[in-house]
Amino acid sequence: MHLIHSEKCGVRRAMMLIGSKWKMVLIGCLKDGMQRYGELKRSIPDISEKMLIQELKDLVEAGLVEKTSYPEVPPRVEYRLTEKGQKAIPVWEMVERFGCDYL
Amino acid sequence: MHLIHSEKCGVRRAMMLIGSKWKMVLIGCLKDGMQRYGELKRSIPDISEKMLIQELKDLVEAGLVEKTSYPEVPPRVEYRLTEKGQKAIPVWEMVERFGCDYL
């Protein structure tokens, strides 16, 4: 059976990892380098705190984003794409180009 | 505000149109040409009838897929990517490559 239709299919796996609107927007935010939690929150005004925390947690667990916390007051938390996460940038670029074709 | 964070953002728009696992899998099925409903159903054994019908309906309403029904018994229904839908193929290829990097 052609790989496309089984769990081994790259598309299914990729969509499980990055196939949500917010994850793709976050990859766009992080593609140019490290961002602090507050910066991410301000740059995506319409995402809820709960959703942002969950999507970042998923991306960290998937090994696409690295989270660094500094024991400071107030706490400083930084996010950056891992090497694996960098591989999602071409997907982001292609999705952005496709989306722009629609505006 | 950088376009990435507003409704005008290409990524948000694209993910609304093709940002689901099944839509991306369907684009993969249709990228090589016309497929009948039965062929789609057989090539994606783990999609429910209800989901397949809804995802195809969404893709047709988004102008990415064209549905042709023939007044025959049994009914013959064909699906193919529109010109606009063809533009999603590079996204599918990039998503597939990213997903395969993970296997």
Side-chain angles (χ1 to χ4, degrees):
Chain A
M1 194 166 52
H2 184 278
L3 262 190
I4 193 169
H5 315 312
S6 80
E7 278 322 308
K8 290 256 172 338
C9 154
V11 166
R12 288 173 183 239
R13 219 177 134 60
M15 293 305 280
M16 275 190 308
L17 299 176
I18 57 172
S20 82
K21 172 176 82 170
W22 294 126
K23 287 192 179 81
M24 201 52 83
V25 168
L26 282 166
I27 288 163
C29 290
L30 293 166
K31 67 180 175 51
D32 300 322
M34 184 277 290
Q35 290 273 298
R36 289 200 190 143
Y37 178 82
E39 289 171 311
L40 290 172
K41 187 79 186 70
R42 279 188 300 279
S43 62
I44 315 174
D46 54 338
I47 192 171
S48 70
E49 188 100 31
K50 189 173 168 234
M51 179 63 87
L52 178 55
I53 290 169
Q54 184 58 52
E55 295 288 80
L56 285 168
K57 192 165 164 265
D58 291 349
L59 288 168
V60 170
E61 276 170 15
L64 298 175
V65 167
E66 184 187 81
K67 173 181 178 181
T68 311
S69 308
Y70 296 87
E72 297 170 5
V73 179
R76 179 157 60 106
V77 183
E78 295 177 350
Y79 292 91
R80 55 174 56 77
L81 291 177
T82 60
E83 203 185 312
K84 204 170 244 187
Q86 305 273 348
K87 289 182 178 173
I89 295 175
V91 179
W92 182 87
E93 286 164 348
M94 202 57 87
V95 170
E96 167 81 352
R97 199 174 309 158
F98 175 73
C100 288
D101 278 355
Y102 261 86
L103 295 188
Chain B
M1 193 167 50
H2 183 275
L3 262 189
I4 193 170
H5 316 311
S6 78
E7 279 322 311
K8 290 260 179 325
C9 155
V11 167
R12 288 174 182 238
R13 217 176 136 60
M15 293 305 279
M16 276 191 305
L17 299 176
I18 57 171
S20 84
K21 173 176 82 169
W22 295 124
K23 287 192 178 85
M24 201 54 82
V25 169
L26 282 166
I27 288 163
C29 290
L30 294 166
K31 67 179 175 51
D32 301 322
M34 183 280 290
Q35 291 271 300
R36 293 205 186 136
Y37 178 83
E39 290 171 310
L40 290 171
K41 187 78 185 76
R42 279 188 301 278
S43 61
I44 315 174
D46 54 337
I47 193 171
S48 70
E49 188 100 32
K50 190 174 166 227
M51 179 64 84
L52 178 56
I53 290 169
Q54 184 58 53
E55 295 289 81
L56 285 168
K57 192 166 166 260
D58 291 349
L59 288 169
V60 169
E61 276 169 16
L64 298 177
V65 168
E66 183 186 85
K67 175 182 179 181
T68 310
S69 307
Y70 297 86
E72 297 170 2
V73 180
R76 180 157 58 104
V77 182
E78 295 177 349
Y79 293 91
R80 57 176 53 79
L81 291 177
T82 60
E83 203 184 310
K84 203 170 244 187
Q86 304 275 347
K87 289 183 179 172
I89 296 175
V91 179
W92 181 88
E93 285 163 350
M94 203 58 86
V95 170
E96 167 81 354
R97 200 174 308 158
F98 176 74
C100 289
D101 277 357
Y102 261 86
L103 295 187

